[in-house]
């Protein structure tokens, strides 16, 4: 019988296998890091969009119930709500409940602010990190440029019956940058007292 010779791997084969393994591992880690970065940007975008949409929805619900809205500037307005009975229904004819409420953008510095509702003696914050530059305007960059927009825009006429609300919020992308969310809605006020001519 002949003895079998067992041959081991040569140094060149071992180094080639190690190089291919390191290259494969490096590629896999690079793809994972890139994917995680894209996920972080996407999550930041979702957060910014959700914040803007939630604030617009809350403002719309609140103002649809108003019986008088006065847009003081593009960043603030005052409104009055009608009186409700014990069951939550409005009294007819509509009567003011005696509390002047205010919604406004309050600067926190650097062109960023919060939208706040002042309801008598209490304050509620609706949305943080609101900027006053429209990302859909020409010349916009995340750090500067672009035209400013009005958060509150009243419809035509001397009495506000229609109101457009627009909010642009920003959120951190967890990569040192910011991503933006933009929401806009036009609402019609339904409790405006009937006018006589």
């Amino acid at each position: 019988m002949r003895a079998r010779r067992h041959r081991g791997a040569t140094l060149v084969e071992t180094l080639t296998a190690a190089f291919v393994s390191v290259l494969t591992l490096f590629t896999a880690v690079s793809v994972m890091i890139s994917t995680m970065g894209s996920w972080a940007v996407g999550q930041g975008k979702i957060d910014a969009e959700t914040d803007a949409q939630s604030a617009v929805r809350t403002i719309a619900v609140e103002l649809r119930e108003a019986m008088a809205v006065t847009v003081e500037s593009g960043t603030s307005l005052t409104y009055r709500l009608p009186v409700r009975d014990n069951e939550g229904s409005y009294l007819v004819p509509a009567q003011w409940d005696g509390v002047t409420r205010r919604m406004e953008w309050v600067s926190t510095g650097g062109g960023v602010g919060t939208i706040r509702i002042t309801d008598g003696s209490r304050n509620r914050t609706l949305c943080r990190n609101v900027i006053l530059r429209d990302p859909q305007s020409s010349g916009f960059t995340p750090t500067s440029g672009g035209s400013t927009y009005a958060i509150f825009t009243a419809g035509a006429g001397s009495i506000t019956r229609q109101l457009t609300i627009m909010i642009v919020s920003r959120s951190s992308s967890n990569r040192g940058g910011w991503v933006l969310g933009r929401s806009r809605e036009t609402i019609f006020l339904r409790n405006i007292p009937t006018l006589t001519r």
Side-chain angles (χ1 to χ4, degrees):
M1 283 198 130
R2 289 185 171 178
R4 287 187 165 173
R5 290 180 57 184
H6 294 287
R7 200 175 147 229
T10 66
L11 180 59
V12 173
E13 292 171 337
T14 304
L15 289 176
T16 302
F19 176 74
V20 169
S21 297
V22 168
L23 187 62
T24 303
L25 185 61
F26 178 75
T27 303
V29 169
S30 296
V31 168
M32 185 182 77
I33 289 172
S34 175
T35 303
M36 289 176 62
S38 297
W39 176 83
V41 169
Q43 185 63 44
K45 179 77 171 164
I46 289 170
D47 292 344
E49 289 283 343
T50 302
D51 289 347
Q53 289 172 359
S54 176
V56 166
R57 196 174 312 114
T58 301
I59 291 169
V61 167
E62 185 91 2
L63 293 181
R64 277 191 184 107
E65 305 301 322
M67 58 184 290
V69 175
T70 305
V71 177
E72 298 171 350
S73 68
T75 59
S76 67
L77 60 79
T78 57
Y79 63 103
R80 296 177 176 182
L81 294 177
V83 175
R84 295 178 185 246
D85 62 16
N86 292 337
E87 296 175 2
S89 301
Y90 293 113
L91 298 180
V92 177
Q95 300 171 24
W96 177 36
D97 68 359
V99 178
T100 299
R101 293 162 175 86
R102 181 178 176 84
M103 286 185 191
E104 63 185 330
W105 177 82
V106 179
S107 176
T108 55
V112 181
T114 61
I115 295 180
R116 181 175 64 192
I117 294 180
T118 304
D119 185 355
S121 61
R122 83 188 165 126
N123 293 323
R124 288 186 294 161
T125 298
L126 292 181
C127 190
R128 300 181 194 284
N129 294 319
V130 176
I131 64 171
L132 295 179
R133 290 179 293 113
D134 187 359
Q136 294 184 359
S137 64
S138 63
F140 178 83
T141 64
T143 56
S144 65
S147 61
T148 59
Y149 69 95
I151 295 173
F152 307 109
T153 306
S158 59
I159 295 180
T160 304
R161 294 179 180 274
Q162 174 184 330
L163 184 71
T164 300
I165 307 159
M166 184 169 126
I167 295 177
V168 178
S169 65
R170 71 179 192 178
S171 179
S172 172
S173 70
N174 297 328
R175 293 183 88 182
W178 296 96
V179 289
L180 304 175
R182 180 180 187 267
S183 185
R184 178 182 171 140
E185 183 176 345
T186 299
I187 62 169
F188 296 91
L189 309 176
R190 43 184 180 207
N191 291 314
I192 299 295
T194 304
L195 298 177
T196 57
R197 295 182 184 242

